[in-house]
Amino acid sequence: MEQDLQVRPLGLYIHIPWCLSHCGYCSFFTQKYSRKASDDYFRLLISEKNAHLKRGLGELSTVYFGGGTPSLLTSQQISELLSGLPLAVNAEITMETNPIQITDSFAEELRKTPVNRLSLGLQSMRDEELAYLQRKHRAADIPAKVKLLQEAGFDNISGDYIYGLPGSDLGDLDLALAPLLQLPLQHISCYLLEIYEDSALAPDIGLLPADDVLAQQYYRMRELATQAGFAQYEISNFARPGHESRHNLLYWQGDDCLALGASACGYYKGLRYCHPADLEDYAQIVGSGELFADEDPLADAIPDYIMMRLRLMKGLSIKEFQSRFGQDFRAGRQAKLERLSYLGLIRDDGDNVRLSEAALFISNAVIAELL
Ligand code: SF4
């Protein structure tokens, strides 16, 4: 790919695969933490970053440390990874953080780095659910930990919540989510539990709530989040005004995001690339200097864009689609748009197409109609 100037927002994702223990539901690329392996991997990340800097890098509006458990990095490592990057003045720099690690000294050290947004893997305020998910923190400890971060100066904190656990009902959801919404958080991400065939929780797949129960939970979750002052801006995400995740918006709006680290996937100038989910293969890629190894010209750029844009509450702008792809969004889709409108599943005001409230829980099926 040729180097040129960035005119659109650009993000950077950095994958830190280490975890102290494995949670049964997790499908991310993770590895058991060891100091030596972590230090070796850190050096690979630095090499990959330096290769990007050498090649030329546009201004970064967001950086996101995801994992795994990025909070296992030391403050020196975080600062070193960010050092030399062309960060925008107001860059959003997020780090996923495991609640078990939040202590006074952790917060104090993290404040020495440019990280200014934290995404906490809270998941539930019920100990039974935390234990089921194999999380190591306890619900009663969460409020003090969030307060500690807030007092250390972190004023942009997001919390993850997982619903739809086996056997759960609306009462369980209220108990697990309502106290979480009372925490001084600026953002909430609510995910439906997915159990994969090859995961430790696979025997429980048959115990997952039926679709109608899950739909009730989804709409109850929206109701509780809205009552607590959060505005929904994406199918699974809620924010207080001005605290939407700018990094995740890059993905949903089809903007570019570079990726560092094993298993990390980036999207850059019409190409999507994914690094191998294997430490040795990743080391080889870094050694070879192939920054965009496994790149894939996006034959499916339009379906990807439609799928991501319609996840946003503001929907897809017909005008922007035309300017981005040189095509009329309605061409070949008008009959479907009219049918979905008639069924009450989309709202089409002429300029924008978006999912209706009724379509949010079945968004994949509705969006598939338009691909
Ligand atoms: S801590 Fe996070 S990344 Fe690690 S296994 Fe658990 S859910 Fe997965």
Side-chain angles (χ1 to χ4, degrees):
M1 284 188 296
E2 292 305 310
Q3 175 185 338
D4 64 9
L5 294 174
Q6 288 292 321
V7 289
R8 301 181 65 86
L10 175 65
L12 174 66
Y13 174 81
I14 304 176
H15 192 77
I16 308 295
W18 314 111
C19 289
L20 295 171
S21 60
H22 191 76
C23 311
Y25 62 95
C26 181
S27 62
F28 297 112
F29 172 63
T30 64
Q31 298 280 295
K32 190 147 182 56
Y33 174 79
S34 88
R35 181 65 193 259
K36 157 111 182 42
S38 170
D39 287 351
D40 291 347
Y41 182 78
F42 169 73
R43 279 187 283 278
L44 291 173
L45 288 176
I46 293 288
S47 297
E48 195 185 3
K49 176 192 81 164
N50 287 339
H52 274 289
L53 288 174
K54 198 166 161 203
R55 178 185 171 277
L57 198 53
E59 184 176 83
L60 295 171
S61 57
T62 67
V63 179
Y64 193 101
F65 291 92
T69 315
S71 46
L72 286 168
L73 291 170
T74 65
S75 59
Q76 289 86 345
Q77 286 177 321
I78 295 167
S79 295
E80 207 175 319
L81 281 167
L82 294 169
S83 163
L85 290 174
L87 298 173
V89 176
N90 64 344
E92 175 193 272
I93 304 174
T94 305
M95 191 174 81
E96 289 179 357
T97 301
N98 189 331
I100 199 86
Q101 289 184 271
I102 303 169
T103 59
D104 284 316
S105 59
F106 172 85
E108 199 179 306
E109 282 298 305
L110 196 58
R111 282 300 288 164
K112 296 177 186 165
T113 75
V115 171
N116 54 23
R117 182 174 183 272
L118 299 177
S119 174
L120 309 183
L122 304 178
Q123 318 308 8
S124 174
M125 289 296 272
R126 291 184 70 211
D127 279 341
E128 303 92 306
E129 295 190 355
L130 291 172
Y132 179 77
L133 296 168
Q134 300 174 339
R135 304 293 298 182
K136 301 296 178 211
H137 59 281
R138 291 290 158 261
D141 298 334
I142 291 174
K145 287 177 182 271
V146 176
K147 188 158 176 258
L148 191 157
L149 292 172
Q150 199 186 26
E151 286 175 357
F154 290 100
D155 58 3
N156 195 358
I157 305 177
S158 176
D160 285 355
Y161 165 67
I162 295 181
Y163 71 101
L165 272 59
S168 61
D169 58 21
L170 281 184
D172 297 325
L173 182 132
D174 281 10
L175 291 172
L177 178 60
L180 194 150
L181 292 167
Q182 298 310 311
L183 298 169
L185 301 172
Q186 285 69 44
H187 186 279
I188 309 275
S189 298
C190 301
Y191 300 112
L192 174 62
L193 177 67
E194 278 187 72
I195 300 184
Y196 296 90
E197 298 277 356
D198 57 353
S199 74
L201 300 182
D204 296 344
I205 288 177
L207 303 175
L208 288 169
D211 284 352
D212 58 334
V213 176
L214 291 176
Q216 285 173 6
Q217 291 191 19
Y218 176 78
Y219 287 104
R220 176 69 178 151
M221 182 184 83
R222 288 180 78 235
E223 188 184 355
L224 290 176
T226 309
Q227 282 169 3
F230 293 89
Q232 184 173 24
Y233 69 104
E234 193 265 352
I235 288 174
S236 307
N237 286 273
F238 303 81
R240 299 202 186 278
H243 288 89
E244 296 81 7
S245 163
R246 285 166 49 202
H247 185 81
N248 286 341
L249 278 169
L250 291 180
Y251 299 123
W252 296 318
Q253 293 180 164
D255 290 323
D256 284 358
C257 186
L258 293 163
L260 301 190
S263 81
C265 291
Y267 178 82
Y268 193 59
K269 297 185 192 304
L271 290 174
R272 183 172 39 211
Y273 65 100
C274 283
H275 287 338
D278 178 281
L279 294 179
E280 282 181 20
D281 291 350
Y282 169 62
Q284 268 186 12
I285 294 246
V286 175
S288 70
E290 286 183 85
L291 289 179
F292 301 100
D294 214 8
E295 65 184 42
D296 169 22
L298 273 176
D300 49 359
I302 291 181
D304 264 16
Y305 181 83
I306 294 172
M307 204 158 1
M308 294 309 237
R309 273 318 276 240
L310 287 176
R311 292 189 62 87
L312 291 170
M313 294 303 105
K314 65 182 178 188
L316 181 150
S317 153
I318 304 286
K319 205 165 142 194
E320 196 181 322
F321 187 90
Q322 174 78 44
S323 95
R324 183 175 279 242
F325 299 107
Q327 290 181 23
D328 179 5
F329 177 68
R330 296 185 183 283
R333 294 190 184 88
Q334 187 57 29
K336 283 187 177 170
L337 287 169
E338 284 170 15
R339 191 170 65 84
L340 292 171
S341 282
Y342 172 75
L343 293 172
L345 295 173
I346 63 160
R347 301 275 176 254
D348 182 353
D349 66 8
D351 297 328
N352 281 281
V353 173
R354 59 188 172 82
L355 297 182
S356 70
E357 190 178 327
L360 294 177
F361 186 69
I362 51 167
S363 59
N364 287 343
V366 177
I367 294 171
E369 289 285 307
L370 296 171
L371 297 183

